Amino acid sequence: MGATIEALHNLQEIEIQIAEIQRRLNRKHRACQRQATEIAGLDREIAAIRAELHVKQKDADRLNLDLRTHESQVAKLRDALNEAKNQKEYSAVLTQLNTFKADNSKAEERIIELMTMIDEKKKRIAELETNRAKEQEKLADLQATAKDAEDKASGRLSALRAERDQATTGIPPDTLDMFSRVAAKNDGEAMAMIMRTHPRRQEYACEGCNMSITIEQVNNVLSRDEAVLCNVCGRILYSETSATAGSR
């Protein structure tokens, strides 16, 4: 293994450790995000029910006002009924009185229906708010756990990043740039070992994707101290076999 490839191999070991720590932290952050999304959903549901409750309450208030107005008119019609001077006038007032009574009866039924719905919605809001409080506690616990994990990982990440900076010394810039791009796509695993897939034939595969690689690629890896990429997964290929053995 040439000096550049060996340096890349050492660099990968550091990148994998950094990526693993970052994955653990990201999992905790995603759990917080999922929990926050759950709470946001509850907030939307509560807001929607509150809006419906507001409309129902306005309808009930309006009907109650109408009912009070009608009751006042009914009282006046009763007085007019008692003061009717003849049968025709009495019948006209009675018809009007019965119409108001029927309207009031319908209004009372609708008010009862609305108040039942209002009570149900208030109960549902109370249930949702209780549930939201529990979910908020879960979020606080998840956030505290994520913060604790970040604090504990901070020192180790700083040390690994310092090691990474030191490990890049001597690696050609274009090769380092290539390595960084591949590592970013594969959680730090920018390199893959060459595997021999047949004991008697010169058949090889990339350990990263298990796809075949050519003899020419293998010989280039063994004979040159430069990055040779897998044609399928794009990882930098390496071999623990010496260049001398590979050239024979």
Side-chain angles (χ1 to χ4, degrees):
M1 189 182 295
T4 298
I5 299 302
E6 185 174 0
L8 291 176
H9 194 269
N10 293 335
L11 181 59
Q12 177 179 249
E13 294 299 321
I14 299 170
E15 288 286 0
I16 289 173
Q17 293 181 66
I18 292 173
E20 176 56 32
I21 294 173
Q22 199 59 58
R23 274 198 301 273
R24 291 199 298 268
L25 295 178
N26 289 342
R27 282 196 295 269
K28 295 184 183 301
H29 286 303
R30 284 195 296 272
C32 291
Q33 290 169 355
R34 286 193 297 270
Q35 189 63 20
T37 300
E38 180 74 18
I39 293 171
L42 290 172
D43 287 340
R44 286 192 296 272
E45 187 174 357
I46 290 171
I49 296 175
R50 284 192 186 281
E52 293 174 4
L53 178 61
H54 179 69
V55 172
K56 301 299 181 187
Q57 189 65 62
K58 283 182 65 176
D59 288 345
D61 292 343
R62 177 180 53 78
L63 286 172
N64 272 313
L65 181 61
D66 291 345
L67 187 61
R68 286 195 296 271
T69 302
H70 287 176
E71 285 174 348
S72 175
Q73 292 172 330
V74 166
K76 291 179 181 179
L77 287 171
R78 284 197 180 109
D79 292 340
L81 192 65
N82 293 329
E83 296 172 0
K85 297 176 181 179
N86 51 58
Q87 185 63 35
K88 182 178 180 181
E89 185 178 338
Y90 183 89
S91 297
V93 173
L94 182 62
T95 299
Q96 193 175 6
L97 178 62
N98 288 335
T99 299
F100 271 107
K101 284 183 177 180
D103 290 343
N104 286 355
S105 179
K106 291 178 181 179
E108 286 172 351
E109 289 177 2
R110 179 57 180 162
I111 289 170
I112 292 172
E113 180 183 346
L114 286 170
M115 294 309 297
T116 300
M117 295 171 66
I118 287 169
D119 288 341
E120 289 174 351
K121 291 185 183 300
K122 286 181 177 179
K123 182 179 178 181
R124 179 57 180 160
I125 288 173
E127 291 173 352
L128 288 170
E129 287 180 336
T130 299
N131 190 26
R132 187 194 186 284
K134 293 178 181 177
E135 297 301 325
Q136 187 64 44
E137 289 179 3
K138 290 180 184 179
L139 177 59
D141 289 341
L142 288 170
Q143 289 173 333
T145 300
K147 179 65 168 58
D148 183 59
E150 279 186 348
D151 292 342
K152 289 179 178 178
S154 177
R156 180 57 180 158
L157 279 173
S158 296
L160 285 170
R161 285 165 181 157
E163 287 183 34
R164 179 177 61 186
D165 291 342
Q166 187 175 3
T168 60
T169 303
I171 300 175
D174 56 341
T175 301
L176 183 59
D177 182 60
M178 180 190 301
F179 175 91
S180 298
R181 289 199 307 272
V182 179
K185 292 192 299 183
N186 297 287
D187 289 330
E189 294 185 5
M191 305 185 73
M193 190 170 69
I194 295 172
M195 303 184 300
R196 186 160 188 165
T197 57
H198 195 283
R200 297 182 180 179
R201 294 195 296 268
Q202 289 187 327
E203 295 178 359
Y204 302 90
C206 167
E207 189 179 42
C209 62
N210 292 316
M211 299 302 291
S212 298
I213 55 178
T214 67
I215 297 295
E216 182 181 2
Q217 286 176 296
V218 174
N219 286 333
N220 286 340
V221 169
L222 297 174
S223 61
R224 301 177 186 177
D225 186 23
E226 60 185 41
V228 178
L229 303 183
C230 172
N231 294 330
V232 178
C233 67
R235 288 180 174 87
I236 299 171
L237 299 170
Y238 74 93
S239 173
E240 294 181 346
T241 306
S242 68
T244 302
S247 61
R248 290 200 297 265

